[in-house]
């Protein structure tokens, strides 16, 4: 947790020697609290003070990366308990467990299904993140399955085996991809900590009780093994939520470094997929860093990814699309030009209606910082000047041979001003998007 200026002052020598460039230690402390100056500017800091300042500037929940390249998963680095206080930063990773005792063709089929799980929603691509391979047979079969999955997916991998030899064999194949190894516990601590250090991979730490978990992570931190994920094992949903919440509270409010890591939850033994989806959604909503499930059905995954997207968007920033010219259908230089705002919901509603009209058209979205038409107009983000500037910038004149612009019915009041600013003839469209199909068909006719 960040220290106040007075907290920092208590750690300083209080000699007012001025060597840091400030007249007093208190002035230096105040600037340090605002991160306007580096602690190293004071040459007289005690070791204790350096440690305290270093700990205070560290994120309360460690950022942990699994995988490499564009599909790598970053989790942690969260700073608030509640989304409305700021925002949640790193979306929970969603992954699927594959058993290594399945036949090769069955494994390949599941991997193929997982790779195909990709959905577009409000201009964003929603995809799962991880495949976890669980050992049921010997180390050789586990390593063989890990190789098979690695060769057929670009998603991050989780190696689920309590057998140190099996982990080593698998890591010799894929350590460069930085998989998560699952899991280290009090019984295999010696072997697994060595593996995590040797292969430099993140490791999941397991203990049923938070106090025990904390004891294990403290030992790992002492060994500089800090890419950790926490798991408190199989419990009731209420108990899991309790654990996830206490872990988050301990790291944010009590600066407990031993619990300052993302958490992992495995949803298991749910015979019905809707139960699995409901349980997984509970953990996505409340603090899980990773949720592993078995079900790979698109309807289940879409629901979870949609929930995740909503929770991890910035509540102070509406979803927006890029400000540009969107051609809809087989447009040509005679196609109508409609203008609207870049609020995702507005754009996709207009897009759907234009598509339904079957009249090829251009839609121009104006950057209104994600505000809808009337709000943007009231906030002076959707004015004749702004629209004219956007049309110039996007060079709509180069796309069409006419000069006719359709504006939303709610901003009919600006039509005269807009004609003056653009030299285009402005037509007032319908107030509601649902009126667009008949409007465009009549316009076309
Ligand atoms: S150098 Fe350190 S001891 Fe000297 S005034 Fe600055 S903060 Fe105080």
């Amino acid at each position: 947790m960040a220290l106040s200026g007075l907290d920092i002052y208590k750690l300083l020598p209080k000699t007012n020697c001025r060597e840091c460039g400030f007249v007093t230690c208190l002035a230096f402390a105040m600037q340090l609290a605002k991160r306007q100056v580096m602690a190293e500017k004071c040459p007289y800091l005690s070791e204790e003070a350096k440690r305290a300042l270093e700990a205070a500037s560290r994120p309360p929940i460690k950022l942990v990366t699994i995988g490499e390249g564009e599909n790598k998963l970053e989790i942690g680095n969260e700073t608030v308990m509640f989304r409305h206080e700021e925002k949640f930063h790193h979306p929970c990773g969603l992954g699927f467990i594959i058993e290594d005792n399945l036949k090769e063709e069955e494994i390949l089929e599941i991997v193929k299904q997982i790779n195909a799980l990709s959905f577009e929603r409000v201009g964003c691509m929603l995809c799962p993140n991880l495949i976890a391979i669980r050992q049921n047979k010997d180390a050789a079969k586990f390593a063989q399955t890990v190789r098979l999955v690695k060769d057929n997916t670009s998603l991050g991998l989780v190696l689920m085996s309590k057998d140190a030899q099996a982990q080593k064999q698998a890591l010799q194949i894929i350590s460069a991809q930085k998989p998560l190894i699952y899991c280290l516990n009090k019984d295999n601590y010696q072997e697994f900590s060595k593996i995590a250090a040797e292969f430099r991979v993140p490791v999941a730490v397991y203990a049923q009780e938070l106090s025990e978990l904390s004891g294990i992570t403290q030992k790992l931190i002492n060994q500089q093994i800090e890419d950790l994920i926490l798991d408190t094992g199989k419990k009731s949903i209420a108990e899991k939520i309790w654990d996830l919440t206490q872990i988050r509270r301990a790291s944010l409010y009590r600066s407990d470094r031993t619990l300052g890591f993302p958490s992992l939850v495995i949803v298991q033994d749910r015979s019905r997929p809707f139960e699995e989806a409901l349980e997984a959604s509970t953990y996505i909503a409340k603090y899980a860093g990773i949720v592993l499930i078995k079900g790979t059905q698109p309807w289940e995954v879409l629901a979870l990814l949609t929930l995740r997207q909503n929770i991890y968007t910035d509540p102070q920033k509406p979803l927006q699309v890029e400000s540009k010219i969107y051609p809809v259908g087989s447009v040509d230089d005679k196609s109508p030009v409609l203008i609207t705002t870049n609020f995702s919901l507005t754009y996709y509603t207009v897009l759907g209606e234009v598509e339904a009209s079957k009249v090829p058209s251009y839609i121009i979205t104006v950057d209104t910082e994600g505000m809808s038409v009337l709000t943007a107009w009231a906030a002076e983000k959707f004015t004749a000047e702004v629209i004219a500037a956007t049309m110039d910038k996007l060079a709509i004149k180069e796309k069409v041979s006419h000069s006719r612009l359709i504006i939303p019915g709610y901003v009919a009041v600006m039509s005269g001003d807009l004609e003056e600013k653009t030299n285009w003839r402005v037509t007032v469209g319908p107030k509601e998007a649902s009126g667009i199909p008949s409007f465009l068909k009549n316009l076309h006719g």
Side-chain angles (χ1 to χ4, degrees):
M1 195 178 287
L3 296 178
S4 69
L6 282 177
D7 292 333
I8 295 172
Y9 177 66
K10 287 176 197 161
L11 297 166
L12 298 179
K14 303 181 196 70
T15 56
N16 300 332
C17 74
R18 303 188 176 199
E19 283 189 45
C20 57
F22 291 87
V23 180
T24 61
C25 293
L26 183 59
F28 178 73
M30 292 303 174
Q31 292 306 307
L32 200 51
K34 285 193 246 168
R35 297 176 199 253
Q36 301 289 317
V37 65
M38 303 291 286
E40 293 74 37
K41 285 271 181 190
C42 172
Y44 304 112
L45 284 179
S46 66
E47 285 309 310
E48 182 203 353
K50 282 182 193 165
R51 272 198 301 276
L53 289 171
E54 195 267 327
S57 61
R58 201 184 299 134
I61 300 176
K62 179 138 189 347
L63 182 72
V64 178
T65 304
I66 300 165
E68 284 278 296
E70 63 178 25
N71 280 341
K72 74 181 178 193
L73 171 69
E74 290 186 325
I75 45 172
N77 216 359
E78 301 300 342
T79 51
V80 291
M81 284 298 289
F82 304 105
R83 179 175 170 267
H84 62 262
E85 293 175 300
E86 185 197 358
K87 69 172 191 173
F88 294 159
H89 294 269
H90 290 96
C92 165
L94 181 66
F96 307 92
I97 300 171
I98 297 181
E99 309 292 345
D100 75 345
N101 56 354
L102 294 173
K103 291 182 193 148
E104 186 174 319
E105 56 270 27
E106 291 173 320
I107 292 170
L108 285 174
E109 182 54 35
I110 298 171
V111 173
K112 197 171 144 196
Q113 280 171 22
I114 295 169
N115 288 340
L117 292 168
S118 168
F119 310 90
E120 186 178 357
R121 183 171 180 274
V122 284
C124 302
M125 292 310 295
L126 309 183
C127 307
N129 313 92
L130 297 167
I131 297 183
I133 302 116
R134 181 152 59 191
Q135 184 187 19
N136 293 277
K137 299 185 92 177
D138 56 31
K141 174 66 173 147
F142 183 62
Q144 187 191 333
T145 308
V146 168
R147 185 187 292 279
L148 183 68
V149 175
K150 164 198 160 278
D151 289 345
N152 287 281
T153 190
S154 58
L155 296 182
L157 299 183
V158 183
L159 308 181
M160 299 181 76
S161 165
K162 289 181 184 152
D163 173 356
Q165 285 315 310
Q167 288 283 7
K168 276 189 179 176
Q169 273 195 38
L171 284 168
Q172 272 148 13
I173 300 166
I174 61 154
S175 63
Q177 277 87 15
K178 298 285 171 220
L180 171 67
I181 59 172
Y182 179 96
C183 62
L184 178 153
N185 57 35
K186 66 177 172 27
D187 301 322
N188 64 19
Y189 175 85
Q190 295 295 347
E191 291 165 300
F192 268 58
S193 56
K194 273 190 202 146
I195 291 172
E198 181 188 341
F199 290 94
R200 296 173 171 275
V201 288
V203 57
V205 183
Y206 169 88
Q208 284 270 323
E209 301 301 326
L210 295 187
S211 55
E212 188 187 336
L213 198 56
S214 180
I216 299 175
T217 58
Q218 182 62 69
K219 286 204 288 179
L220 289 163
I221 291 167
N222 294 344
Q223 288 183 254
Q224 270 93 47
I225 300 171
E226 297 189 58
D227 281 334
L228 309 178
I229 308 279
L230 309 179
D231 178 24
T232 58
K234 189 176 172 187
K235 295 185 180 180
S236 71
I237 298 175
E239 287 169 328
K240 284 304 286 187
I241 289 294
W242 172 263
D243 284 355
L244 291 165
T245 307
Q246 293 312 310
I247 288 170
R248 173 76 57 111
R249 290 178 73 88
S251 51
L252 293 189
Y253 295 162
R254 298 201 300 276
S255 303
D256 184 343
R257 203 177 153 205
T258 63
L259 294 177
F261 302 98
S263 301
L264 174 148
V265 184
I266 300 173
V267 180
Q268 46 197 337
D269 304 333
R270 293 283 173 198
S271 53
R272 289 186 287 187
F274 69 85
E275 285 183 359
E276 185 183 62
L278 279 174
E279 186 172 344
S281 64
T282 311
Y283 304 138
I284 290 172
K286 277 285 180 195
Y287 309 136
I290 294 175
V291 172
L292 296 178
I293 60 174
K294 293 284 296 261
T296 57
Q297 299 216 46
W299 66 260
E300 179 180 354
V301 177
L302 174 62
L304 295 175
L305 293 178
T306 303
L307 172 74
R308 180 181 75 177
Q309 185 192 29
N310 285 327
I311 287 172
Y312 282 87
T313 49
D314 186 341
Q316 294 164 49
K317 202 170 154 196
L319 276 177
Q320 359 185 329
V321 295
E322 192 184 344
S323 170
K324 65 177 196 179
I325 302 169
Y326 293 85
V328 186
S330 307
V331 287
D332 58 28
D333 65 335
K334 300 204 173 31
S335 299
V337 178
L338 297 93
I339 200 130
T340 189
T341 75
N342 74 331
F343 178 38
S344 286
L345 193 59
T346 301
Y347 167 70
Y348 282 100
T349 308
V350 172
L351 174 68
E353 299 298 344
V354 172
E355 283 173 339
S357 76
K358 305 237 186 306
V359 178
S361 307
Y362 289 104
I363 303 174
I364 300 178
T365 51
V366 176
D367 182 1
T368 56
E369 298 171 13
M371 291 181 197
S372 60
V373 170
L374 268 182
T375 314
W377 175 73
E380 301 195 347
K381 306 272 182 201
F382 194 58
T383 60
E385 288 83 2
V386 174
I387 294 173
T390 303
M391 288 168 65
D392 274 351
K393 187 173 141 208
L394 299 176
I396 183 64
K397 276 186 186 162
E398 292 172 18
K399 304 255 181 212
V400 292
S401 56
H402 62 82
S403 301
R404 292 183 303 277
L405 181 67
I406 300 162
I407 63 170
Y410 279 118
V411 289
V413 66
M414 71 162 71
S415 57
D417 198 12
L418 191 54
E419 286 194 342
E420 258 180 46
K421 297 271 181 330
T422 60
N423 284 327
W424 280 44
R425 202 176 84 217
V426 172
T427 305
V428 176
K431 282 189 173 173
E432 301 299 335
S434 56
I436 289 176
S438 62
F439 174 85
L440 284 179
K441 277 178 199 156
N442 291 333
L443 191 79
H444 205 58

mmCIF file of all heavy atoms in Angstrom, residues 6 10 174 205 236 286 346 389:
data_model
loop_
_atom_site.group_PDB
_atom_site.id
_atom_site.type_symbol
_atom_site.label_atom_id
_atom_site.label_comp_id
_atom_site.label_asym_id
_atom_site.label_seq_id
_atom_site.Cartn_x
_atom_site.Cartn_y
_atom_site.Cartn_z
ATOM 1 N N LEU A 6 3.820 11.697 5.540
ATOM 2 C CA LEU A 6 4.224 11.611 6.949
ATOM 3 C C LEU A 6 4.805 10.243 7.288
ATOM 4 O O LEU A 6 5.755 10.128 8.065
ATOM 5 C CB LEU A 6 3.021 11.915 7.853
ATOM 6 C CG LEU A 6 2.687 13.409 7.990
ATOM 7 C CD1 LEU A 6 1.453 13.603 8.846
ATOM 8 C CD2 LEU A 6 3.873 14.185 8.562
ATOM 9 N N LYS A 10 8.721 9.617 8.685
ATOM 10 C CA LYS A 10 9.144 8.868 9.883
ATOM 11 C C LYS A 10 10.333 7.957 9.593
ATOM 12 O O LYS A 10 11.072 7.576 10.481
ATOM 13 C CB LYS A 10 7.970 8.029 10.408
ATOM 14 C CG LYS A 10 6.897 8.869 11.070
ATOM 15 C CD LYS A 10 5.728 7.993 11.482
ATOM 16 C CE LYS A 10 4.507 8.848 11.755
ATOM 17 N NZ LYS A 10 3.270 8.087 11.715
ATOM 18 N N ILE A 174 8.622 -27.809 -23.382
ATOM 19 C CA ILE A 174 7.926 -26.515 -23.573
ATOM 20 C C ILE A 174 8.308 -25.406 -22.592
ATOM 21 O O ILE A 174 7.573 -24.429 -22.468
ATOM 22 C CB ILE A 174 6.389 -26.690 -23.517
ATOM 23 C CG1 ILE A 174 5.952 -27.224 -22.169
ATOM 24 C CG2 ILE A 174 5.851 -27.491 -24.648
ATOM 25 C CD1 ILE A 174 4.537 -26.819 -21.868
ATOM 26 N N VAL A 205 0.648 -22.519 -6.324
ATOM 27 C CA VAL A 205 0.921 -23.000 -4.963
ATOM 28 C C VAL A 205 -0.408 -23.399 -4.333
ATOM 29 O O VAL A 205 -1.367 -22.629 -4.364
ATOM 30 C CB VAL A 205 1.586 -21.897 -4.115
ATOM 31 C CG1 VAL A 205 1.923 -22.422 -2.730
ATOM 32 C CG2 VAL A 205 2.832 -21.376 -4.808
ATOM 33 N N SER A 236 -16.687 -25.553 -1.273
ATOM 34 C CA SER A 236 -17.997 -25.099 -1.743
ATOM 35 C C SER A 236 -17.826 -23.731 -2.408
ATOM 36 O O SER A 236 -16.820 -23.048 -2.183
ATOM 37 C CB SER A 236 -18.974 -24.978 -0.569
ATOM 38 O OG SER A 236 -18.585 -23.875 0.225
ATOM 39 N N LYS A 286 -15.758 -12.525 -9.021
ATOM 40 C CA LYS A 286 -15.137 -12.224 -7.722
ATOM 41 C C LYS A 286 -13.724 -12.757 -7.630
ATOM 42 O O LYS A 286 -13.466 -13.808 -7.028
ATOM 43 C CB LYS A 286 -15.990 -12.798 -6.583
ATOM 44 C CG LYS A 286 -17.136 -11.906 -6.174
ATOM 45 C CD LYS A 286 -16.659 -10.712 -5.367
ATOM 46 C CE LYS A 286 -17.808 -9.818 -4.949
ATOM 47 N NZ LYS A 286 -17.331 -8.507 -4.477
ATOM 48 N N THR A 346 -24.220 2.311 -30.102
ATOM 49 C CA THR A 346 -24.840 3.104 -31.167
ATOM 50 C C THR A 346 -24.388 2.590 -32.527
ATOM 51 O O THR A 346 -25.207 2.327 -33.420
ATOM 52 C CB THR A 346 -24.444 4.600 -31.019
ATOM 53 O OG1 THR A 346 -24.869 5.049 -29.748
ATOM 54 C CG2 THR A 346 -25.063 5.452 -32.109
ATOM 55 N N ALA A 389 -14.949 18.340 -39.400
ATOM 56 C CA ALA A 389 -13.515 18.017 -39.257
ATOM 57 C C ALA A 389 -13.280 16.523 -39.470
ATOM 58 O O ALA A 389 -12.308 16.112 -40.114
ATOM 59 C CB ALA A 389 -13.027 18.455 -37.881
#
